[in-house]
């Protein structure tokens, strides 16, 4: 929905952003899911929203859909584009939290995680607050800092 497809080896058709994929069934499932790769949709096989799609539809839009209210379409896809990088960052931080990090880095990991999870968010704007976006921007530096702890030592 939210992202465009360029017709090439990973996508079997050209699709603009904010346009439903023609393979979406009425129940929002993919009509060709079991045959994605065979049908030329390797990009769909590799794609993950990291849980952001569920948060957008179930939390921010309280189960409402763009099919029920077409005016929601661009709002929902915008929210997904804002939330997906945050959810991806949370997955990285979850992995980091499982590492044997020194206390100061454990605390920084927890601090970044808290900053990316605003309390009782009610709209996409809660995720565009400076504190959330600053934490998102800080993630690459944090990952660089913890890189030595990701090496398996025997």
């Amino acid at each position: 929905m939210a992202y465009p497809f360029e017709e090439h080896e990973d996508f079997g058709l050209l699709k603009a952003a904010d346009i439903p994929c023609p393979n979406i069934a009425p129940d929002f499932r993919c009509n060709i899911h079991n045959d994605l790769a065979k049908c030329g949709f390797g990009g769909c096989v590799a794609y993950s929203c990291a849980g952001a799609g569920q948060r957008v539809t179930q939390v921010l839009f309280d189960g409402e859909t763009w099919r029920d209210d077409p005016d929601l379409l661009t709002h929902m896809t915008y929210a997904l584009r804002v939330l997906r990088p945050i959810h991806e960052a949370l997955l990285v931080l979850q992995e980091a939290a499982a590492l044997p990090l020194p206390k100061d880095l454990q605390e920084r990991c927890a601090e970044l995680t808290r900053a990316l999870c605003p309390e009782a968010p009610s709209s996409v704007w809660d995720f565009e607050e400076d504190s959330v976006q600053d934490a998102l921007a800080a993630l690459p530096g944090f990952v660089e800092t913890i890189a030595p702890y990701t090496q398996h030592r025997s």
Side-chain angles (χ1 to χ4, degrees), residues 73-92:
L73 178 73
T74 56
H75 300 290
M76 294 180 90
T77 57
Y78 177 80
L80 179 66
R81 288 189 290 269
V82 169
L83 280 155
R84 183 176 172 215
I86 292 168
H87 275 243
E88 289 172 341
L90 288 167
L91 289 176
V92 169

Side-chain angles (χ1 to χ4, degrees), residues 56-126:
V56 168
T57 58
Q58 296 168 12
V59 176
L60 295 183
F61 288 87
D62 199 28
E64 293 183 70
T65 74
W66 53 266
R67 283 209 172 120
D68 296 331
D69 182 354
D71 290 337
L72 292 178
L73 178 73
T74 56
H75 300 290
M76 294 180 90
T77 57
Y78 177 80
L80 179 66
R81 288 189 290 269
V82 169
L83 280 155
R84 183 176 172 215
I86 292 168
H87 275 243
E88 289 172 341
L90 288 167
L91 289 176
V92 169
L93 290 167
Q94 182 179 16
E95 292 293 321
L99 295 172
L101 299 175
K103 187 166 178 56
D104 64 322
L105 292 176
Q106 289 174 4
E107 289 171 358
R108 179 65 175 145
C109 183
E111 176 186 304
L112 289 170
T113 300
R114 282 190 302 275
L116 291 171
C117 298
E119 277 191 48
S122 60
S123 80
V124 68
W125 310 120
D126 294 320

